[in-house]
């Protein structure tokens, strides 16, 4: 964030309403790149909103983003949360990790501040019965079944190996995949695990190779999935590899080289590529980088917050929270509505395949049904192109 | 005559000092809350880490045993609390029952770790304790299969806060016109525990056992020749240190409401050790200073780097988190380079340094 | 050869040596005696550079060497047999001796000197493959002396070489020291066994709590009633 | 059987990587009994520099791949040596006589700084290490081994042998060992102690550079946090073998690698899948603890004949 | 007089070195028993075996009428044997007084809970430890140096402090490894008075020493070791005339 506008002159202060929105994600440590990506998404949304000269309660609104580094540490969660609350934020986008979001969420709940995460996928987050917690991203128990059923129908494996990185995310996703496969009558090998810092997967893969599975699923991030895929091919495992959203990135090509070709993976929501082309272009223009993963969701989360404020014509959390719960917003990642728990309704899931060094969407899975990507795009094109943000006057 | 000696000969000054400090400590959270409740939370976490540092100080500072797996005991305490006071097993025991159980469990783990490894010296012990810490964490992370005990990496949520009757430590309450928020209540509780732990530490240090620890640290062979059962005395250090960790862990679980194995990783052990070393191994006050400093410095940087850059350059030049980490790293180095025995070393450690 | 003037050394504020002057001529044997804690070891450490004096000058062959680092003083020909022997515990006896010859390059001559040391102390030859740390006290003392000789010093400083040695060995070591001196090496000897030291040396200095209080030739000191009472254990 | 053989190959490769990093630890530890906790970060810097140089050369020149990798390594070595020397001067030299744990803290501080600097230079992203050496796969009794794996194993053995020769056969080596046992006395023997210690650090750092290239090209990834875990594992390996002992570092590294591979490969089968590869590290640490309980100075560590 | 320590056939090897072979000796209550011999003869090794630092390869001890079964060195102190070390091993950074207080460890009892609760019993014990330690410092002539740090004491004082610390364990047998090393003749004479007084006060002494004047003047009986074997034993006058002893150890007596 290098080109923030200078603080507004004092004279405007009377008419200007400053609305602060918090964003928290790890900006240091092993997944700092994802954290920064998330922050960029939120930052982009804030700038757009400011450019639109939104008026709430008769005042011109200036949105400010307070970005914090939660270091991936659960015990930092509540502290950051409190810091936001002390700074009187109107709402929070984040956190990135479920393990941090959960302890932070109770602090937000006590203060009545809404939080919308674009990347915490652990079901538990919204199962706590808190009214202020929302997510624009799919849950592990939505995404897992999606990729698993795709594997089951497209590849018809008899035996699948499931590996995870022993994190809340990877393990949770792996468990959902396993459940779906087992339910479909497919055998699953005993779970193998690495860690979020694993680079050497040879031993695990060798063992798996000996059991001759027909497909391999890995729940974890690209930094570990890349080496896993590469080493799997080196060992001569020729079957299909599948991943969750953590490894559903183009980085996989850099990390695994030629071995990357042909893996499949899922993303919660619609693909970054499918995200409004405006988002993609703006992101690229502003940050001189491709969005990595969850930035469309944090971007949307930010917009959803703002949209709810506009609807309620108030930036007071107590007033706009009800609007947030029943929001309907066409975002970069598709249409966003929340169910009673705060989860995204009918969250789309997209299945990708690595082709020629880029992940290409294959299918969209929504409500258990699979639609070919081309068909999805066609049908989307049929309806008038969704503006990135719902106009406030449309009631 | 040292300052403390002077105080001893002047009880009036001593007591007025004590009263003054007590008042300051009692008023502190309200003062902090004015700057932001986040500072109360930061303080609470700092006190929690001070408890850990004081526990580790017994092992490292008093007995001279390098322990890189100390966070495991914190974890044991936290998990004991979480399992006995959460929907996980639908148990909701009161905290004054669980905390001692947690301390005891941690203590047992301390002995389990200590017993086979105490013959090891220096860095070999460090590695074994490191391994032990990792083993404990891996079990936390995996004991969801085949029977679900810890819920694995998903962690345990909705852990009960401390409650006495209908008085809950997590709720806001207005008393005498003052707003007692959850963090403020925990602050007082933590403060009480901290004072107890300090007293215990002070008494241990100045006791037959404390002298034996010091003797072992100085020269194990000579200590044995004096009839000190070094194995037993070292185990005692491990057990004591571990129980403090266990208590802190229980409090952490209750305050946080959610725990997962991520909170008990090696880096945390290293952090607690840094607090002990940086503050001044073996000196209780030094250790407290170290713990507070390492807890507050990153938060202070978090609050100052961004505004400072803006006021200096009008905009952000380097991302604040990068500056924060850089400054933190540099601060660690500089503090140690200029005060190698720690910021406030024990007299003994100062001598050791002067010796060379 | 060695001229010390106004030497003061302190340990963090505690003055151990309080401005002493003395001199050693080339080829001479001089002893420094004094009670425990008088500052003898401290003086020797300052001469070798292990301790940096607070004040004073140390002239060696006319050159002020106060600023010269330890390792270069060895090259200039100063060697110390330190108090407490300072054996490398995990190097073998032979490697310890080789370390003594570290500053030299003449491989053949080093080997010859090593054999010379073995001839002097057959016990070391027996233990040549054993690590230094497992030697008995006396064996370590032999090794320390042998090692110092390996650098072919011109000025040999010995700090209590007889400490912990069996009577026979003390005789042997003193004979060796004499022999070394006879080869033209200048010797400065710190010794608790004052009688023995004064018997082998030509001159002696007496040190008391950091100051040199007496200086005379050895015979005179041996006869001095004050010395006899304080250091020779006689109730004169 | 072929699975077992494959696991051994896996373990040996992993072990060789550990071994080379462990050698660096052991060198430095051997001489000043200091756990250079920033060593892993030096490895990371090595990998990063090699990443940049190799990437640039591959994109802009037509040199043969092997030459490019060699140049990359040769570029990484001075960079790491510089970092190693700087660490010695700024983080450790002043603390040589400080309490044992003081340098541990400066090392942690230095690690943080190095990581942040690397992050500023090379970004937060995991970087795909250029795969320019054709990854030829050889088949061996049903198991596979790649060219890179062979290179790693051979290099690490060569490095160990070379270092052993340096330490036990050269003047520098004896001086290093003497300094390690008693620096004051070594000075009295005419050893320039500062120089010897700095040299040791630089050798360790050069090893780290090689290790960085190895890790980068084997796993195909470089990231600014990659050093910490690797460093830690390698340190365990060094301790397992007997810290301060070169052959021990090698043996410890190999053993740790093999134990990890076999642990991941067989725990599940032996425990009826009650425990699985998730307990791989538990298994590895139990082996480590077991070894140390029975051999308190590691496998080949010199038992210090301490006299009472 | 009755037998306090009875060593039978003690043997100890280090690799190829036979440090002790079949050493048998007895020490009587109240005597001062000297152990001499050339450097490397095995004297310190004998101490280390006796005090449990090393385990004997063969043979055993009985002490005060009962077999001395030690599985850990600290039990030796419990049994009533205290020692000093050839290379002084004080708790270097503790004060002189604290060093002696540590010596009281084995005869006192306060545990963790005692320390934390600090009841009347614990406080009384602490006071007793203090008083006893002060008394012992006074006994060895260090009354004025109680608060000084052990390692900054002059050498001779450190030796004396080691003796005070050993005495604090209430030993029946006090084993001293070269207590006069590094002392000049005058200081040695003072030490001799101290040792005599300790004996008079009822503690048996086992003494390793190379200072012949001290050994011959002080000891009731002497054993001479050479290459791990006992080559002579008896009264000082007899030992100093023994040809083997002269050959191996004494040489042509010092002037
Ligand atoms: N490292 C140290 N720190 C503080 N004081 C010290 C240190 N080393 C020696 N001293 C003090 O300096 C004074 C001189 O000590 P030094 O060792 O030079 O005496 P010495 O004459 O060699 O005695 P000895 O006969 O016991 O060897 C003594 O009072 C001693 O206590
Ligand atoms: N731990 C050990 N490992 C190997 N050899 C040892 C060990 N301890 C002692 N020795 C050897 O045993 C022999 C006896 O040593 P000891 O220390 O008992 O001699 P000492 O009689 O006390 O000699 P001094 O009078 O010189 O102190 C020596 O040759 C020594 O090298
Ligand atoms: Mg001296
Ligand atoms: Mg001896």
């Amino acid at each position: 964030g290098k080109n923030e506008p200078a603080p507004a002159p004092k004279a405007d202060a009377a008419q200007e309403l400053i609305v602060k929105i918090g964003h928290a994600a790890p900006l240091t440590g092993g997944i700092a790149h994802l954290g920064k990506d998330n922050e960029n998404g939120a930052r982009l949304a804030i700038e757009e909103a400011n450019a639109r000269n939104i008026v709430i309660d008769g005042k011109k609104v200036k949105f400010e983003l307070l970005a914090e580094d939660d270091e991936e540490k659960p015990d930092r969660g509540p502290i950051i949360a409190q810091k936001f609350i002390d700074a009187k934020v109107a709402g929070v986008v984040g956190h990135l990790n479920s393990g941090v979001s959960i302890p932070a969420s109770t602090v937000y709940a006590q203060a009545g501040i809404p939080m919308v995460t674009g990347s915490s996928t652990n079901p538990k987050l919204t199962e706590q019965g808190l009214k202020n917690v929302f997510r624009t991203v799919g849950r592990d128990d939505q995404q897992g079944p999606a990729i698993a059923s795709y594997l089951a129908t497209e590849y018809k494996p008899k035996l699948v190996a499931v590996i995870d990185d022993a994190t809340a995310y990877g393990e949770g996703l792996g468990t959902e995949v396993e459940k779906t496969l087992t339910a479909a009558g497919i055998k699953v090998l005993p779970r193998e695990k690495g860690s979020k810092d694993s680079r050497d997967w040879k031993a695990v893969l060798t063992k798996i190779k000996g059991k001759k599975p027909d497909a391999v699923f890995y729940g974890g991030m690209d930094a570990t999935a890349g080496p896993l895929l590469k080493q799997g091919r080196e060992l001569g495992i020729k079957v299909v590899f599948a991943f969750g959203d953590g490894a559903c990135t183009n980085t996989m090509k850099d990390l695994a080289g030629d071995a990357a070709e042909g893996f499949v993976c899922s993303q919660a929501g619609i693909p970054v590529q499918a995200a409004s082309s405006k988002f993609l272009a703006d992101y690229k223009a502003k940050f001189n980088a491709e969005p990595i993963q969850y930035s469309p969701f944090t971007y949307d989360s930010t917009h959803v917050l703002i949209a709810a404020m506009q609807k309620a014509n108030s930036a007071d959390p107590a007033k706009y929270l009800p609007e947030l719960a029943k929001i309907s917003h066409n975002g970069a990642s598709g249409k966003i509505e929340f169910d009673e728990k705060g989860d995204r309704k009918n969250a789309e899931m997209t299945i990708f395949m690595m082709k020629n060094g880029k992940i290409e969407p294959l299918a969209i899975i929504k409500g258990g049904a699979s639609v070919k990507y081309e068909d999805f795009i066609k049908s989307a094109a049929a309806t008038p192109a969704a503006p990135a943000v719902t106009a406030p006057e449309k009631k | 005559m040292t300052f403390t000696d002077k105080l001893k000969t002047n009880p009036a000054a001593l007591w007025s000092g004590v009263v003054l400090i007590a008042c300051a400590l009692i008023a502190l959270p309200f003062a902090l809350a004015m700057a932001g409740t986040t500072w109360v939370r930061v303080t609470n976490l700092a006190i929690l880490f001070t408890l850990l540092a004081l526990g580790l100080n017994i092992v490292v500072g008093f007995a001279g045993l390098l322990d890189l797996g100390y966070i495991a005991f914190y974890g044991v305490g936290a998990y004991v609390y979480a399992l006995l006071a959460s929907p996980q097993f639908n148990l909701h025991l009161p905290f004054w029952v669980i905390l001692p159980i947690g301390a005891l469990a941690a203590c047992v783990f301390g002995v389990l770790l200590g017993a086979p490894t105490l013959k090891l010296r220096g860095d070999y012990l460090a590695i074994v304790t490191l391994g032990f810490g990792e083993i404990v964490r891996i079990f936390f992370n995996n004991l969801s299969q085949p029977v679900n005990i810890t819920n694995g990496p998903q962690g345990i949520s909705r852990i009960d806060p401390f409650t006495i009757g209908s008085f809950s430590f997590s709720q806001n309450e207005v008393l005498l016109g003052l707003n007692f928020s959850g963090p403020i209540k925990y602050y007082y509780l933590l403060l009480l525990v901290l004072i107890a732990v300090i007293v215990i530490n002070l008494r241990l240090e100045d006791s037959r056992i404390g002298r034996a620890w010091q003797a072992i640290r100085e020269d194990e062979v000579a200590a044995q020749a004096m009839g000190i059962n070094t194995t037993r005395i070292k185990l005692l250090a491990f057990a004591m240190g571990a129980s403090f960790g266990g208590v802190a862990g229980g409090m952490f679980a209750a305050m946080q409401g959610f725990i997962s194995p991520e909170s008990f990783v090696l880096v945390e052990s290293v952090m607690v050790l840094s607090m002990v070393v940086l503050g001044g191994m073996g000196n209780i006050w030094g250790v407290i200073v170290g713990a507070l400093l390492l807890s507050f410095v990153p938060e202070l940087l978090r609050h100052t780097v961004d505004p400072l850059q803006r006021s200096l350059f009008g905009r952000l030049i380097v991302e604040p988190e990068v500056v924060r980490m850089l400054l933190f790293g540099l601060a660690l180095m500089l503090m140690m380079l200029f005060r190698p025995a720690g910021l406030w070393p024990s007299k003994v450690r100062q001598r050791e340094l002067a010796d060379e | 050869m060695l001229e010390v003037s106004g030497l003061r050394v302190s340990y963090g504020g505690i003055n151990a040596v309080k401005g002493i002057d003395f001199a050693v001529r080339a080829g001479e044997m001089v002893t420094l005696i004094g009670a425990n804690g008088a500052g003898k070891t401290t003086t020797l450490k300052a001469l070798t550079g292990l301790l940096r004096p607070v004040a004073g000058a140390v002239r060696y062959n006319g050159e002020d060497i106060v600023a010269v680092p330890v390792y270069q003083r060895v090259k200039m020909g100063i060697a110390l047999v330190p108090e407490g022997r300072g054996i490398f515990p995990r190097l073998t006896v032979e490697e310890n001796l080789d370390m003594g010859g570290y500053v030299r390059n003449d491989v053949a001559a080093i080997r010859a000197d090593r054999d010379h040391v073995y001839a002097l102390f057959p016990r070391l030859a027996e233990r040549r493959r054993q690590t230094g740390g497992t030697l008995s006290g006396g064996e370590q003392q032999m090794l320390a002396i042998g090692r110092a000789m390996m650098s072919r010093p011109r000025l040999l400083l010995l700090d209590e070489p007889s400490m912990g040695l069996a009577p026979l060995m003390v005789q042997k070591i003193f004979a060796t020291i004499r022999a070394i001196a006879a080869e033209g090496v200048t010797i400065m000897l710190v010794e608790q066994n004052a009688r023995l030291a004064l018997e082998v040396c030509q001159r002696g200095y007496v040190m008391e709590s950091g100051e040199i209080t007496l200086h005379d030739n050895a015979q005179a000191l041996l006869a001095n009633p004050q010395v006899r009472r304080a250091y020779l254990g006689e109730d004169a | 059987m072929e699975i077992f053989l494959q696991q051994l190959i896996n373990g040996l490769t992993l072990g060789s990587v550990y071994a080379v990093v462990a050698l660096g630890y052991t060198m430095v530890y051997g001489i000043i009994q200091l756990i250079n906790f920033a060593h892993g970060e030096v490895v990371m810097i090595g990998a990063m520099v090699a990443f940049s140089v190799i990437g640039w050369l591959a994109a802009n020149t037509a040199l043969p791949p092997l030459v490019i990798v060699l140049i990359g390594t040769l570029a990484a070595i001075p960079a790491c040596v510089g970092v190693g020397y700087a660490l010695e001067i700024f983080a450790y030299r002043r603390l040589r006589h400080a309490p044992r744990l003081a340098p541990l803290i400066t090392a942690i501080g230095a690690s943080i700084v190095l990581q942040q600097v690397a992050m500023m230079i090379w970004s937060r992203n995991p970087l795909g290490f250029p795969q320019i050496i054709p990854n030829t796969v050889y088949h061996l009794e049903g198991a596979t081994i790649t060219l890179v794996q062979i290179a790693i194993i051979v290099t690490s053995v060569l490095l160990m042998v070379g270092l052993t020769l340096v330490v036990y056969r050269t003047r520098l080596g004896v001086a290093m060992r003497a300094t390690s046992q008693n620096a004051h006395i070594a000075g009295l023997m005419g050893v320039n102690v500062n120089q010897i210690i700095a040299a040791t650090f630089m050798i360790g750092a050069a090893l780290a550079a090689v290790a960085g290239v190895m890790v980068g090209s084997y796993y195909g990834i470089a990231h600014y946090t990659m050093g910490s875990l690797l460093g830690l594992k390698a340190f365990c390996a060094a301790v397992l073998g007997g810290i301060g002992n070169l052959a021990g570092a090698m043996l410890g590294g190999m053993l740790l690698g093999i134990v990890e591979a076999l642990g991941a490969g067989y725990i599940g089968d032996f425990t009826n899948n009650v425990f699985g590869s998730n307990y791989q590290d538990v298994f590895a640490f139990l082996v480590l603890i077991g070894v140390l309980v029975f051999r308190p100075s590691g496998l080949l560590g010199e038992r210090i004949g301490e006299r009472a | 007089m009755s037998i306090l320590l009875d060593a039978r056939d003690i043997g100890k090897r280090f690799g190829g070195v036979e440090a002790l072979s079949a050493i048998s000796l007895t020490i009587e209550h109240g005597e001062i028993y000297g152990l001499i011999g050339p450097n490397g003869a095995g004297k310190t090794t004998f101490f280390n075996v006796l005090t449990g630092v090393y385990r004997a390869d063969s043979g055993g001890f009985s002490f005060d009428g009962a077999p001395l079964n030690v599985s850990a060195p600290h039990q030796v102190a419990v049994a009533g044997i205290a020692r000093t070390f050839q290379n002084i091993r004080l708790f270097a950074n503790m004060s002189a007084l604290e060093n002696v207080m540590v010596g009281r460890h084995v005869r006192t009892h306060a545990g963790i809970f005692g320390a934390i609760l600090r009841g009347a019993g614990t406080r009384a014990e602490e006071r007793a430890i203090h008083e006893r330690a002060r008394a012992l410092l006074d006994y060895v002539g260090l009354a004025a140096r109680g608060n000084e740090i052990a390692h900054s004491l002059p050498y001779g004082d450190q030796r004396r402090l080691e003796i005070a610390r050993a005495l604090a364990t209430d030993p029946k047998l006090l084993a001293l490894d070269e207590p006069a090393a590094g002392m000049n003749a005058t200081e040695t004479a003072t030490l001799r008075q101290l040792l005599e007084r300790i004996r008079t006060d009822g503690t048996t002494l086992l003494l390793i020493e190379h200072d012949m004047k001290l050994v011959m003047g002080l000891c009731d009986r002497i054993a001479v070791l050479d290459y791990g074997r006992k080559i002579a034993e008896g009264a000082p006058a007899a030992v100093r005339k023994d040809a083997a002893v002269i050959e191996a150890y004494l040489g042509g007596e010092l002037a």
Side-chain angles (χ1 to χ4, degrees), chain A residues 2-8 47 50 62-64 286, chain B residues 310 314:
Chain A
K2 289 168 182 74
N3 27 11
E4 245 93 14
E47 293 205 351
N50 281 335
K62 178 164 175 281
F63 292 99
E64 270 180 16
K286 179 157 170 59
Chain B
R310 280 180 208 275

Side-chain angles (χ1 to χ4, degrees), chain A residues 11-240:
Chain A
D12 287 348
Q15 292 85 2
E16 201 178 65
L17 178 68
I18 304 243
V19 174
K20 294 178 186 160
I21 291 180
H23 177 271
L27 300 174
T28 50
I31 57 167
H33 57 299
L34 298 179
K36 201 70 192 178
D37 182 46
N38 277 13
E39 185 189 312
N40 287 346
R43 202 172 283 287
L44 187 61
I46 295 279
E47 293 205 351
E48 282 178 14
N50 281 335
R52 274 169 38 223
N53 293 323
I54 294 173
V55 175
I56 288 179
D57 201 12
K59 295 184 194 126
K60 184 174 158 273
V61 181
K62 178 164 175 281
F63 292 99
E64 270 180 16
L65 187 72
L66 303 185
E68 287 291 344
D69 173 16
D70 66 24
E71 302 168 54
E72 273 182 271
K73 285 188 191 162
D75 59 11
R76 289 291 121 185
I79 287 182
I80 303 284
Q82 191 71 53
K83 191 179 174 209
F84 284 149
I85 293 165
D86 292 344
K88 304 224 161 21
V89 297
V92 173
V93 178
H95 301 213
L96 192 156
N97 309 71
S98 300
V100 186
S101 289
I102 295 174
S105 64
T106 53
V107 178
Y108 295 123
Q110 282 210 347
I113 305 241
M115 69 171 266
V116 187
T117 173
S119 50
S120 292
T121 51
N122 190 326
K124 260 195 189 165
L125 175 60
T126 47
E127 302 283 348
Q128 299 177 98
L130 303 175
K131 288 282 158 250
N132 64 315
V133 181
F134 302 89
R135 67 177 133 208
T136 52
V137 71
R139 296 163 45 130
D140 291 338
D141 51 5
Q142 298 170 318
Q143 191 194 156
I147 179 77
S149 54
Y150 184 81
L151 263 186
T153 48
E154 293 294 312
Y155 293 88
K156 306 209 170 14
K158 295 194 181 60
L159 183 65
V160 178
V162 177
I163 313 175
D164 70 58
D165 66 356
T167 63
Y169 162 74
E171 199 237 24
L173 191 58
T175 304
E176 294 303 332
V177 167
E178 184 170 338
K179 266 192 215 157
T180 311
L181 291 173
T182 320
I186 297 166
K187 274 220 186 96
V188 175
L189 286 171
R191 185 78 60 88
E192 301 293 340
K193 282 171 191 285
S195 78
K196 67 183 163 86
D197 300 306
S198 288
R199 297 283 184 263
D200 195 300
W201 292 99
K202 284 240 159 129
V204 163
L205 289 167
T206 300
K207 179 180 173 193
I208 284 175
K209 184 187 174 194
K211 314 269 180 202
K212 302 193 170 43
D214 307 307
V216 179
F217 176 83
Y218 172 67
M221 311 308 277
D222 52 12
T224 46
L228 178 128
L229 184 52
K230 176 169 178 276
Q231 291 162 30
R233 298 298 185 218
E234 267 171 27
L235 284 171
I237 301 177
K238 300 201 170 70
V239 300
V240 62

Side-chain angles (χ1 to χ4, degrees), chain C residues 80-160:
Chain C
L80 171 71
V81 176
E83 186 179 53
R85 298 145 192 162
I87 297 302
F88 298 113
R90 276 162 289 141
L91 295 187
T92 62
V93 167
E94 190 141 319
E95 284 172 328
N96 264 287
L97 290 177
D98 287 347
M99 274 314 291
Y102 184 78
V103 288
R104 297 164 56 191
N105 292 316
D106 40 349
V107 181
I110 290 180
R111 185 161 310 147
D113 283 1
R114 197 165 66 203
D115 292 340
H116 181 57
V117 171
Y118 284 147
L120 213 53
F121 306 112
R123 181 56 78 99
L124 292 185
E126 285 169 35
R127 300 263 188 273
R128 67 169 75 192
R129 301 260 168 261
Q130 194 170 322
T131 52
T134 60
L135 295 182
S136 82
E139 292 163 347
Q140 289 189 355
Q141 189 67 62
M142 300 178 217
L143 181 56
I145 295 176
R147 188 179 62 183
M149 285 166 62
M150 290 293 293
S151 72
R152 289 232 179 140
R154 270 168 286 153
L155 173 64
L156 179 61
L157 311 171
L158 296 126
D159 199 350
E160 304 200 22

Side-chain angles (χ1 to χ4, degrees), chain B residues 68-72 128-138 264 269:
Chain B
L68 279 180
Y70 184 68
I71 210 72
V128 167
T129 51
L130 181 154
F132 171 82
E134 281 297 282
I135 289 175
V136 170
R137 185 188 62 83
I138 293 171
F264 312 108
S269 286

Side-chain angles (χ1 to χ4, degrees), chain A residues 27-28 36 68-69 71 74-76 79-80 82-83 86 99 103 110 122 124 166-168 171-172 193, chain B residues 36-38 41-42 45 141-142 144 151 153-155 157 170 252 256 258 263 299 302-303 319 321 324-325:
Chain A
L27 300 174
T28 50
K36 201 70 192 178
E68 287 291 344
D69 173 16
E71 302 168 54
D75 59 11
R76 289 291 121 185
I79 287 182
I80 303 284
Q82 191 71 53
K83 191 179 174 209
D86 292 344
Q110 282 210 347
N122 190 326
K124 260 195 189 165
T167 63
E171 199 237 24
K193 282 171 191 285
Chain B
T37 310
T38 184
R41 284 188 192 271
V42 170
L45 204 60
N141 210 24
N142 289 297
S144 50
N151 210 24
Q154 311 298 329
S157 57
S170 66
F252 173 70
Q256 196 80 348
F258 168 83
S263 296
E299 292 305 319
R302 191 193 288 286
H303 280 78
E319 292 143 313
E321 65 276 2
R324 192 185 82 229
M325 291 305 279

Side-chain angles (χ1 to χ4, degrees), chain D residues 96-113:
Chain D
R96 221 171 271 161
H97 306 296
R100 297 263 296 113
L101 290 179
L104 188 93
I105 307 298
T106 51
I108 294 167
S111 297
I112 295 176
V113 171

Side-chain angles (χ1 to χ4, degrees), chain B residues 6-87:
Chain B
K6 263 183 208 158
L7 280 182
K8 269 182 203 143
T9 56
N10 188 350
L14 177 71
W15 281 111
S16 47
V18 167
V19 168
L20 221 69
I21 292 174
C23 287
L25 286 175
I26 290 172
L28 181 69
F30 293 99
L32 286 173
M34 282 197 274
T37 310
T38 184
W39 287 110
V40 185
R41 284 188 192 271
V42 170
T43 308
N44 286 352
L45 204 60
I47 297 180
L48 213 50
F49 271 87
T50 309
L51 294 179
L52 286 178
L54 285 172
L56 183 60
N57 183 48
I58 295 180
V59 184
V60 182
F62 290 174
L65 304 165
L66 185 47
D67 184 350
L68 279 180
Y70 184 68
I71 210 72
F73 306 123
Y74 183 56
V76 168
Y79 268 91
V80 165
Y81 187 89
L83 293 176
L84 297 181
S86 77

